[in-house]
Amino acid sequence: MPKVTLLVDDGTKIQLLATTALLSRWVWTCRWRAWIASRKWTWYSGPLVGQPLDFTMTLYLRHYWKDERLAFPSTNNKSMTFDGRLVKKIWVPDVFFVHSKRSFTHDTTTDNIMLRVFPDGHVLYSMRITVTAMCNMDFSHFPLDSQTCSLELESYAYTDEDLMLYWKNGDESLKTDEKISLSQFLIQKFHTTSRLAFYSSTGWYNRLYINFTLRRHIFFFLLQTYFPATLMVMLSWVSFWIDRRAVPARVSLGITTVLTMSTIITGVNASMPRVSYIKAVDIYLWVSFVFVFLSVLEYAAVNYLTTVQERKERKLREKFPCTCGMLHSRTMMLDGSYTESEANSLAGYPRSHILTEEERQDKIVVHLAVSNESNSSRKKGLLKGQMGLRIFQNTHAIDKYSRLIFPASYIFFNLIYWSVFS
């Protein structure tokens, strides 16, 4: 075993001490040492996982300080390295993680602790730790948010009069693995700070901070939340092109889109912490839900107005039951874009035939189908085929306006939303 010459505190010169005896002298002379000059923090490439209101980090925590009582003469100026067994017998800083929920030192295959002593009394104390700490996350812009978290270190027993803590090289004391990658976040920046913390019962303490900013990846939420919600809103607009008399088709489509939006909202909230404020994703999903719900209400209004209109037409037919040989399909073909003479022609009368006043009263049904603009000499347009005419007549005016208003309003909402939150 190597032998050295050691000069201890009582002035006694001991020569040719074995390493075991040297350790014994260190334990006796250093166990009451209570101050540290410096230390360094190194960020290891362990997992950094964003959890609801906390984060987990694996790191190398390295302390540097100088204790002249640990100095020893050396011909080659080489340091001596020891494992965790010596740490349990000498004084080391009592640093703990403020606001920590869980933390432990790795012990596979042995305790991941290293103590290195230099001949001039400098000490390097390193350990591998995993810690889960609290983070005051703000989800008001979720999932378009950036979170700033901090890990705080402080001495548990020694005040600033006994123990002074500071970063050895400032921001350079913090180093990260370039290959580090997180599933939901992108590490934007990190920096170190230090300040004093006051406790009314014990006094002032030095506290070190490691602050880092995380920006959430949006692509996952685009695929899982925003894109499905947008598709459901667009699917609800399909009902505006379906015949208003096809009640089962339009009702089932509206109910399906409403239930799907409810499922999306429930799924997003189930994976989020229960916060008492509105998140950005809540605004988007609930506005989309309102658009889907309004499409159902739109058809309810169309169906009600259609029923009222058919009831009025039925009363008119009961009041004037005589159609005078005119077919019902011909009556339906009058859409208000024909003049009175053309309406008579469609009813089976030639253009040259001029109706008398009695004939006008007998054929009142023809006049009821003609619009108030029957005196106009110009047509509004020619319909192409009987099928197109029926579609035109079965489409309510509310549906025609909704085909433009709903998409335009939703596009305007998206422009405002993404300009504010992105």
Side-chain angles (χ1 to χ4, degrees):
M1 300 179 70
K3 298 180 180 180
V4 297
T5 300
L6 176 64
L7 182 64
V8 295
D9 289 345
D10 56 2
T12 304
K13 186 175 183 180
I14 303 176
Q15 295 181 351
L16 302 179
L17 276 178
T19 303
T20 304
L22 176 63
L23 296 180
S24 299
R25 301 297 298 179
W26 278 357
V27 171
W28 176 257
T29 58
C30 299
R31 59 181 177 176
W32 301 111
R33 200 63 178 168
W35 59 273
I36 180 174
S38 64
R39 76 179 179 188
K40 183 179 180 180
W41 166 281
T42 302
W43 188 345
Y44 174 57
S45 61
L48 178 62
V49 183
Q51 300 292 340
L53 303 180
D54 63 39
F55 63 93
T56 301
M57 181 188 297
T58 300
L59 51 95
Y60 286 128
L61 181 60
R62 291 170 179 164
H63 305 74
Y64 291 85
W65 74 91
K66 183 179 181 180
D67 192 340
E68 295 180 354
R69 296 185 180 187
L70 298 179
F72 62 93
S74 175
T75 56
N76 52 12
N77 199 28
K78 289 186 177 180
S79 62
M80 301 181 65
T81 303
F82 307 93
D83 57 18
R85 290 175 292 180
L86 179 62
V87 175
K88 298 178 182 179
K89 297 181 180 181
I90 66 174
W91 179 90
V92 292
D94 59 340
V95 175
F96 76 102
F97 296 98
V98 185
H99 306 309
S100 172
K101 292 183 177 181
R102 296 175 299 276
S103 61
F104 62 91
T105 303
H106 291 258
D107 56 0
T108 306
T109 57
T110 60
D111 292 341
N112 297 171
I113 298 176
M114 183 268 292
L115 183 69
R116 181 173 296 169
V117 182
F118 294 86
D120 59 352
H122 282 89
V123 181
L124 166 61
Y125 176 43
S126 177
M127 63 183 69
R128 183 167 177 252
I129 301 175
T130 294
V131 57
T132 300
M134 295 177 58
C135 179
N136 296 324
M137 298 184 183
D138 182 13
F139 294 100
S140 58
H141 284 203
F142 176 87
L144 306 170
D145 58 333
S146 296
Q147 303 295 341
T148 300
C149 300
S150 63
L151 190 62
E152 306 172 10
L153 299 96
E154 182 181 302
S155 173
Y156 187 81
Y158 302 108
T159 64
D160 62 331
E161 298 179 354
D162 302 324
L163 182 65
M164 183 176 64
L165 303 178
Y166 61 90
W167 296 108
K168 185 178 182 180
N169 298 318
D171 290 343
E172 296 298 326
S173 300
L174 182 64
K175 299 183 183 298
T176 61
D177 190 345
E178 296 180 355
K179 298 180 180 179
I180 189 172
S181 177
L182 304 178
S183 59
Q184 293 190 26
F185 292 96
L186 173 65
I187 303 177
Q188 288 188 318
K189 61 180 179 179
F190 53 85
H191 64 279
T192 60
T193 56
S194 61
R195 60 178 67 112
L196 291 175
F198 177 73
Y199 299 93
S200 58
S201 58
T202 56
W204 295 88
Y205 293 82
N206 288 112
R207 181 178 296 181
L208 302 182
Y209 296 81
I210 167 64
N211 306 302
F212 51 93
T213 302
L214 306 174
R215 182 169 183 82
R216 196 182 304 272
H217 294 302
I218 186 60
F219 186 72
F220 171 81
F221 298 95
L222 287 177
L223 293 180
Q224 299 295 325
T225 303
Y226 287 95
F227 189 63
T230 303
L231 286 182
M232 287 301 103
V233 175
M234 296 175 64
L235 183 61
S236 66
W237 300 340
V238 176
S239 63
F240 302 151
W241 275 266
I242 300 178
D243 193 337
R244 55 177 173 164
R245 292 180 178 82
V247 178
R250 296 189 65 163
V251 171
S252 60
L253 180 60
I255 296 300
T256 301
T257 53
V258 169
L259 294 179
T260 304
M261 284 300 306
S262 301
T263 303
I264 295 175
I265 294 175
T266 303
V268 172
N269 291 330
S271 60
M272 289 292 299
R274 293 176 176 85
V275 294
S276 59
Y277 49 84
I278 299 177
K279 303 179 290 293
V281 68
D282 294 334
I283 297 176
Y284 192 90
L285 291 179
W286 280 105
V287 171
S288 300
F289 181 85
V290 169
F291 272 90
V292 172
F293 186 72
L294 287 179
S295 66
V296 179
L297 294 183
E298 185 271 347
Y299 177 63
V302 169
N303 185 268
Y304 173 77
L305 295 177
T306 301
T307 303
V308 172
Q309 182 180 359
E310 291 178 350
R311 188 182 298 115
K312 292 181 180 180
E313 293 177 356
R314 189 181 305 110
K315 290 181 179 180
L316 291 175
R317 287 195 297 269
E318 292 176 355
K319 185 176 181 180
F320 305 101
C322 180
T323 59
C324 302
M326 188 176 67
L327 297 177
H328 178 69
S329 60
R330 289 177 175 265
T331 305
M332 292 298 296
M333 290 177 63
L334 300 179
D335 64 340
S337 61
Y338 295 89
T339 61
E340 184 176 356
S341 61
E342 291 169 340
N344 292 332
S345 177
L346 289 175
Y349 298 93
R351 292 177 178 267
S352 59
H353 181 74
I354 300 176
L355 298 178
T356 62
E357 188 66 26
E358 294 180 356
E359 291 174 338
R360 291 174 183 269
Q361 295 177 358
D362 293 338
K363 300 173 182 56
I364 188 65
V365 177
V366 175
H367 290 270
L368 290 175
V370 179
S371 66
N372 295 331
E373 299 178 356
S374 59
N375 295 329
S376 176
S377 60
R378 299 177 60 186
K379 295 183 180 179
K380 296 180 180 179
L382 295 176
L383 299 177
K384 297 181 180 180
Q386 185 176 2
M387 184 62 67
L389 180 61
R390 291 181 178 178
I391 294 176
F392 179 82
Q393 290 176 340
N394 292 337
T395 302
H396 199 273
I398 298 180
D399 281 341
K400 289 186 285 187
Y401 290 124
S402 298
R403 294 171 188 174
L404 299 176
I405 295 176
F406 274 72
S409 301
Y410 195 69
I411 292 174
F412 178 75
F413 161 72
N414 274 270
L415 292 176
I416 298 297
Y417 179 87
W418 293 106
S419 62
V420 170
F421 290 103
S422 58

